Amino acid sequence: MAKRIEVSDLDIFYGNFKAVEGVNVSIEPRSVTALIGPSGCGKSTFLRSLNRMHEVIPGARVEGKVVMDGQNLYDPDTDPVAVRRQIGMVFQRPNPFPTMSIYDNVVAGVRLNGGRMKKSDTDAIVERSLQSANLWNEVKDRLDRPGAGLSGGQQQRLCIARAIAVEPQVLLMDEPCSALDPISTLAIEDLMTELKDRFTIVIVTHNLQQAARVSEQTGFFNLNGVGQPGRLIEFNPTEKIFSNPDVKATEDYISGRFG
Amino acid sequence: MTTTETPPLPTTGRRQVGDSVFAGAAKAAGILILVVLAGVAIFLVTEAAPAITAAPEDVPGGEGLAAYIGPLIFGTLLAAVIALVVATPLAVGIALFITYFAPRKLAQTLGYVVDLLAAIPSVVFGFWGIFALAPALVPLFGWLEDNLGFIPLFAGPASSTGRTMLTAGLVLAVMILPIISAISREVFRQAPALHQEAALALGATRWEMIKMAVLPYGRSGVIGGAMLGLGRALGETLAIALVLSVSGGITFNLISSGNPSTIAANIALNFPESTGLDVNTLIASGLALFVITLAVNMAARYVVNRRADFTE
Amino acid sequence: MSTPTPTAPSRPEAAPEFDLAAESGNRLPRFAGWGLFVLGALLAAAPTALLGWSTGLFVVLAIVVGTVVTWGVSRAVEGRRKSTDRLVTCLVSSAFAIAMVPLFSLVYTVVSNGVGRLDAEFFTSSMVGVIGEGGGAYHAIMGTLIVTALATLISVPIGVLTAIYLVEYGNRGRLSKWITFLVDVMTGIPSIVAGLFAYALFALLFGPGVRLGVAGAVALSVLMIPVVVRSVEEVLKLVPNELREAAYALGVPKWRTIIKVVLPTAAAGLGTGITLSIARVVGETAPLLITVGITTALNVNPFDGRMATLPVYAFYQLTQPGVPPEFGINRAWTAALLLIILVMALNLIARLISRVFAPKTNR
């Protein structure tokens, strides 16, 4: 599992407004790639364009290429639903399905994709996914309880378990810890380090320490002014970005001079 | 983990079947609504046509369609206007009471109680109008005739049963009260809390706060609500059919037993026993009612939506 | 007002900047508002008792005198601004009280007149061969249930699908704007016009003078669909977008997301909305009067001729009670009572649904 994603000349639009311009990047498999930058610079928009979640918003569209495993995700014949099955996503706010139990939440992706499965198979998926999300020991006695009854950090790990239960190639995380307390944040960061052996992980974060702690590669997004499109300013190994960046703006941002 | 080759991403043909079927069904249902509304207009016109083209002496009353429908339109408007004049101030008062004056814990329950009025079927209002309200109003009508008889509205002779235009208007007022007050409550509740707090912070009393920060904001909502109430009052059928004692034509006299009927009540009372051209005539009058209520409701929606545009 | 500077107070240092007690002015004690109003009402009670005026007159007089007394005393003690505030308080409270009078009067009238015939016979027999005493509304109750169920069967799929189109597929396009507008317009269609529409439609199909249960159901659907659309639309809008995105991100197609995630999340609201829309039409009389007519015997086939329904039954029992009239009128009241009970029960069920089946979240 885990695949490389090649992005070339990607422009992202909301209606006529160009939100992100000219992104060229190669995201390495089996590693964590962090995207940082000031608010409104388009890093979340870019992340959402990687699994075609972007186009869920009316009027949103994309120009350019995103290639995974030799296939263009934006090929006219490609089904966005199939893309999302290969590239999962975890959101800023934990969003377990309120009508479903913990168990049902984990297998939601599998079941909603239309698969009829034996109970023993789903049992195995639930245990494996929750184990992977470091949540199994905390919830194994109450799998039939509503998922919304867990704490915020547990809910977020449940959402991660739900995302990896469908065995995607890539896991996108959109500020997954920004709604969580420090201890839950630490748990998720540990989890990312474990998961990167099996998945390509891309994370958007506002927390520079977090980017430094968990990622191998870091991309810095910025925009020249309000109403201008965001751009990928620099993409380098995390160590380099945080010690000796190529671009002045990156250094200014890292050292807290703006943003 | 074993590295398995990813299956190629599926293409358009296969994927969209479920989605397009479902989206198509949803869209068809929406379009059906357009068709139904068009159908209402078309069928009414088709069935009304014989009466519109008929010779005047064949139409009930023998003087043509306009002479038949005219008094009915007048009666419809008169009853609805009485209802509106009585109900609007009351409804605004109720809405203010529930949103700003009633104890917080009680407010929601009181809202439910007012909404109960909206739940009572119109035929039951008719029963109540005949047996409870009309007799109770008879002394009032007598008093009005004796003391305010110089005003044409109260010229008399006062009805001895109480089944007058004023009674019918009051029953309608009670019926549209919950509609107007529900919409008023909604707009009052949406008045920006910041403005209200700003007014209070300036040392305003509760009423001054409402005058400054709530009423200006809610005015067009209240107007729209009142017009929706008017639309309901225009089309109200059974309550009027039961309460109003009908005989004669156009008169502004509200307390006598000689009143013009309303379109809706006239249809309800005469339709079951009608055949031939009489049915077409009644449907023609229904078409007139449809046009009037359509105009009122569109105007009301326009007012309400303009407010929505303004605040968003 | 000038900004107070701490170093240079404008007043002598000993005096406080302001005196709360003085600023507050003379104030009436806390319960003075209601106390004065009741006092005024009692003043109105005196002539009522002496001259034997009616209850209605007393209520009006009590409100007027109570308001005047409250306002006058407050004006004398507290000044203009506060007295105006109290005056408005009295007025809006009175508005509410006045609205309660018809509600209680109506419920009292219907219950006291209708409870007499609320017996087993009323629920088990029809009006076949009944001229005076006895008889019941079994046929009308069955008719109301059948016609309403049929209307629900027509309206709910159309209404729910339309709402789904508006919320999930419409994207605020031109078609969805038109549908929204026309649904609003449809909400305002007078019930008698809906009846005429159904009659005209079926008259074109089956010839003039047609009376069918299904025609009544169509008429009720015209009234019911917009209510269903509006309430379901509101409920679907309340479903957080995050849940839809979560499902999309799992690679779930849109239609499955709607069926498996959006609709179950909104289930409680859907149940409430649909129940309330049934309550809205179950008491409708006018459209059924002209499309379904009335019978004295039971007819359970909505595709074959006239049927009896409870509201129309009540109407005819009152307007054509037979000889002697009191038995018919009593049956009419009981039918009216039954209608109110039915509508209230539906409202209560709607509330229960929204309370019991609401998704349990800790947000």
Side-chain angles (χ1 to χ4, degrees), chain B residues 56-74:
Chain B
E57 58 272 17
D58 294 337
V59 172
E63 292 166 39
L65 195 62
Y68 180 78
I69 295 184
L72 294 177
I73 293 180
F74 174 80

mmCIF file of all heavy atoms in Angstrom, chain B residues 56-74:
data_model
loop_
_atom_site.group_PDB
_atom_site.id
_atom_site.type_symbol
_atom_site.label_atom_id
_atom_site.label_comp_id
_atom_site.label_asym_id
_atom_site.label_seq_id
_atom_site.Cartn_x
_atom_site.Cartn_y
_atom_site.Cartn_z
ATOM 1 N N PRO B 56 -75.318 35.804 -20.144
ATOM 2 C CA PRO B 56 -75.536 36.288 -18.764
ATOM 3 C C PRO B 56 -76.763 35.673 -18.093
ATOM 4 O O PRO B 56 -76.726 35.370 -16.899
ATOM 5 C CB PRO B 56 -75.712 37.797 -18.966
ATOM 6 C CG PRO B 56 -75.005 38.103 -20.240
ATOM 7 C CD PRO B 56 -75.129 36.874 -21.099
ATOM 8 N N GLU B 57 -77.843 35.443 -18.879
ATOM 9 C CA GLU B 57 -79.065 34.979 -18.218
ATOM 10 C C GLU B 57 -78.975 33.525 -17.778
ATOM 11 O O GLU B 57 -79.762 33.064 -16.954
ATOM 12 C CB GLU B 57 -80.290 35.192 -19.128
ATOM 13 C CG GLU B 57 -80.235 34.517 -20.488
ATOM 14 C CD GLU B 57 -79.565 35.406 -21.540
ATOM 15 O OE1 GLU B 57 -78.880 36.382 -21.160
ATOM 16 O OE2 GLU B 57 -79.719 35.113 -22.754
ATOM 17 N N ASP B 58 -77.988 32.778 -18.288
ATOM 18 C CA ASP B 58 -77.836 31.383 -17.883
ATOM 19 C C ASP B 58 -77.073 31.234 -16.574
ATOM 20 O O ASP B 58 -77.153 30.213 -15.897
ATOM 21 C CB ASP B 58 -77.102 30.585 -18.974
ATOM 22 C CG ASP B 58 -77.940 30.497 -20.242
ATOM 23 O OD1 ASP B 58 -79.182 30.638 -20.107
ATOM 24 O OD2 ASP B 58 -77.366 30.315 -21.327
ATOM 25 N N VAL B 59 -76.282 32.253 -16.273
ATOM 26 C CA VAL B 59 -75.495 32.196 -15.033
ATOM 27 C C VAL B 59 -76.434 32.372 -13.846
ATOM 28 O O VAL B 59 -77.415 33.115 -13.940
ATOM 29 C CB VAL B 59 -74.416 33.308 -15.059
ATOM 30 C CG1 VAL B 59 -73.713 33.416 -13.727
ATOM 31 C CG2 VAL B 59 -73.432 33.048 -16.185
ATOM 32 N N PRO B 60 -76.201 31.669 -12.731
ATOM 33 C CA PRO B 60 -77.061 31.828 -11.551
ATOM 34 C C PRO B 60 -77.227 33.308 -11.200
ATOM 35 O O PRO B 60 -76.257 34.056 -11.208
ATOM 36 C CB PRO B 60 -76.293 31.088 -10.453
ATOM 37 C CG PRO B 60 -75.423 30.107 -11.170
ATOM 38 C CD PRO B 60 -75.148 30.687 -12.506
ATOM 39 N N GLY B 61 -78.462 33.693 -10.893
ATOM 40 C CA GLY B 61 -78.737 35.099 -10.638
ATOM 41 C C GLY B 61 -79.240 35.810 -11.874
ATOM 42 O O GLY B 61 -79.910 36.818 -11.787
ATOM 43 N N GLY B 62 -78.877 35.259 -13.045
ATOM 44 C CA GLY B 62 -79.439 35.772 -14.283
ATOM 45 C C GLY B 62 -78.863 37.088 -14.765
ATOM 46 O O GLY B 62 -79.356 37.685 -15.702
ATOM 47 N N GLU B 63 -77.802 37.601 -14.134
ATOM 48 C CA GLU B 63 -77.275 38.891 -14.567
ATOM 49 C C GLU B 63 -75.814 38.810 -14.977
ATOM 50 O O GLU B 63 -75.112 39.810 -15.004
ATOM 51 C CB GLU B 63 -77.450 39.921 -13.454
ATOM 52 C CG GLU B 63 -78.902 40.272 -13.208
ATOM 53 C CD GLU B 63 -79.073 41.009 -11.896
ATOM 54 O OE1 GLU B 63 -78.209 41.852 -11.575
ATOM 55 O OE2 GLU B 63 -80.044 40.722 -11.190
ATOM 56 N N GLY B 64 -75.358 37.622 -15.246
ATOM 57 C CA GLY B 64 -73.977 37.492 -15.705
ATOM 58 C C GLY B 64 -73.021 37.158 -14.587
ATOM 59 O O GLY B 64 -73.341 37.267 -13.403
ATOM 60 N N LEU B 65 -71.829 36.751 -15.019
ATOM 61 C CA LEU B 65 -70.832 36.240 -14.086
ATOM 62 C C LEU B 65 -70.328 37.325 -13.136
ATOM 63 O O LEU B 65 -70.198 37.118 -11.930
ATOM 64 C CB LEU B 65 -69.658 35.655 -14.883
ATOM 65 C CG LEU B 65 -68.698 34.773 -14.107
ATOM 66 C CD1 LEU B 65 -69.417 33.554 -13.560
ATOM 67 C CD2 LEU B 65 -67.548 34.358 -15.008
ATOM 68 N N ALA B 66 -70.081 38.530 -13.682
ATOM 69 C CA ALA B 66 -69.529 39.607 -12.851
ATOM 70 C C ALA B 66 -70.477 39.954 -11.716
ATOM 71 O O ALA B 66 -70.065 40.130 -10.562
ATOM 72 C CB ALA B 66 -69.242 40.833 -13.711
ATOM 73 N N ALA B 67 -71.785 40.023 -12.047
ATOM 74 C CA ALA B 67 -72.768 40.370 -11.029
ATOM 75 C C ALA B 67 -72.867 39.272 -9.967
ATOM 76 O O ALA B 67 -73.209 39.525 -8.812
ATOM 77 C CB ALA B 67 -74.139 40.583 -11.668
ATOM 78 N N TYR B 68 -72.546 38.031 -10.371
ATOM 79 C CA TYR B 68 -72.613 36.922 -9.427
ATOM 80 C C TYR B 68 -71.401 36.929 -8.505
ATOM 81 O O TYR B 68 -71.515 36.772 -7.288
ATOM 82 C CB TYR B 68 -72.687 35.599 -10.199
ATOM 83 C CG TYR B 68 -72.750 34.379 -9.330
ATOM 84 C CD1 TYR B 68 -73.946 34.004 -8.713
ATOM 85 C CD2 TYR B 68 -71.620 33.592 -9.114
ATOM 86 C CE1 TYR B 68 -74.005 32.886 -7.903
ATOM 87 C CE2 TYR B 68 -71.674 32.477 -8.317
ATOM 88 C CZ TYR B 68 -72.869 32.116 -7.712
ATOM 89 O OH TYR B 68 -72.926 31.004 -6.919
ATOM 90 N N ILE B 69 -70.230 37.130 -9.111
ATOM 91 C CA ILE B 69 -68.997 37.011 -8.325
ATOM 92 C C ILE B 69 -68.692 38.291 -7.552
ATOM 93 O O ILE B 69 -68.128 38.246 -6.456
ATOM 94 C CB ILE B 69 -67.814 36.636 -9.258
ATOM 95 C CG1 ILE B 69 -68.063 35.243 -9.849
ATOM 96 C CG2 ILE B 69 -66.506 36.623 -8.504
ATOM 97 C CD1 ILE B 69 -66.927 34.739 -10.691
ATOM 98 N N GLY B 70 -69.091 39.435 -8.094
ATOM 99 C CA GLY B 70 -68.765 40.721 -7.471
ATOM 100 C C GLY B 70 -69.029 40.776 -5.967
ATOM 101 O O GLY B 70 -68.112 41.015 -5.184
ATOM 102 N N PRO B 71 -70.300 40.544 -5.551
ATOM 103 C CA PRO B 71 -70.582 40.608 -4.116
ATOM 104 C C PRO B 71 -69.770 39.584 -3.316
ATOM 105 O O PRO B 71 -69.406 39.854 -2.170
ATOM 106 C CB PRO B 71 -72.083 40.274 -4.040
ATOM 107 C CG PRO B 71 -72.606 40.534 -5.395
ATOM 108 C CD PRO B 71 -71.493 40.278 -6.352
ATOM 109 N N LEU B 72 -69.489 38.439 -3.955
ATOM 110 C CA LEU B 72 -68.720 37.416 -3.238
ATOM 111 C C LEU B 72 -67.299 37.911 -2.968
ATOM 112 O O LEU B 72 -66.768 37.728 -1.868
ATOM 113 C CB LEU B 72 -68.659 36.121 -4.058
ATOM 114 C CG LEU B 72 -69.992 35.405 -4.258
ATOM 115 C CD1 LEU B 72 -69.791 34.191 -5.150
ATOM 116 C CD2 LEU B 72 -70.576 34.991 -2.914
ATOM 117 N N ILE B 73 -66.714 38.548 -3.985
ATOM 118 C CA ILE B 73 -65.365 39.087 -3.790
ATOM 119 C C ILE B 73 -65.396 40.143 -2.698
ATOM 120 O O ILE B 73 -64.548 40.168 -1.801
ATOM 121 C CB ILE B 73 -64.820 39.678 -5.107
ATOM 122 C CG1 ILE B 73 -64.587 38.562 -6.123
ATOM 123 C CG2 ILE B 73 -63.538 40.465 -4.866
ATOM 124 C CD1 ILE B 73 -64.046 39.031 -7.450
ATOM 125 N N PHE B 74 -66.437 40.987 -2.744
ATOM 126 C CA PHE B 74 -66.556 42.020 -1.715
ATOM 127 C C PHE B 74 -66.638 41.392 -0.329
ATOM 128 O O PHE B 74 -65.937 41.789 0.607
ATOM 129 C CB PHE B 74 -67.807 42.876 -1.983
ATOM 130 C CG PHE B 74 -68.074 43.871 -0.893
ATOM 131 C CD1 PHE B 74 -67.377 45.065 -0.845
ATOM 132 C CD2 PHE B 74 -69.002 43.578 0.102
ATOM 133 C CE1 PHE B 74 -67.607 45.958 0.186
ATOM 134 C CE2 PHE B 74 -69.238 44.475 1.131
ATOM 135 C CZ PHE B 74 -68.547 45.673 1.171
#
